[in-house]
Amino acid sequence: VDGNKSDIKARTFEFSVQIVALYRFLRNEKKELTLGKQLLRSGTSIGANCSKLLLDPYDTWHKILESRFSGLPSHQQIIMVA
């Protein structure tokens, strides 16, 4: 299990490095600021989300499920979990 954790950390870090490089290219060479900023925010957030999940998986999954089912009637929540 620890091998998977370090692998996912390394892969998300490398992905973030590539996203930053692409952002710099878009900003400097193509003068594209809006798309570049959005790419930077969304592309680097995976590392933060992954780190949080690895630190406290129960809390993270609980929040995901809570937000997913918060607007559903209780009988639909039970069906969706099952």
Side-chain angles (χ1 to χ4, degrees), residues 21-67:
L22 180 56
Y23 164 74
R24 288 181 177 158
F25 170 77
L26 288 172
R27 183 190 64 196
N28 297 335
E29 301 296 324
K30 300 296 182 182
K31 308 299 183 210
E32 177 54 59
L33 300 178
T34 306
L35 179 64
K37 286 181 183 179
Q38 181 59 41
L39 175 71
L40 186 64
R41 281 192 299 270
S42 61
T44 55
S45 70
I46 188 167
N49 293 337
C50 184
S51 294
K52 185 174 180 181
L53 179 61
L54 292 175
L55 289 174
D56 192 356
Y58 175 77
D59 183 54
T60 303
W61 282 113
H62 176 74
K63 287 178 182 175
I64 291 169
L65 291 173
E66 186 177 80
S67 68

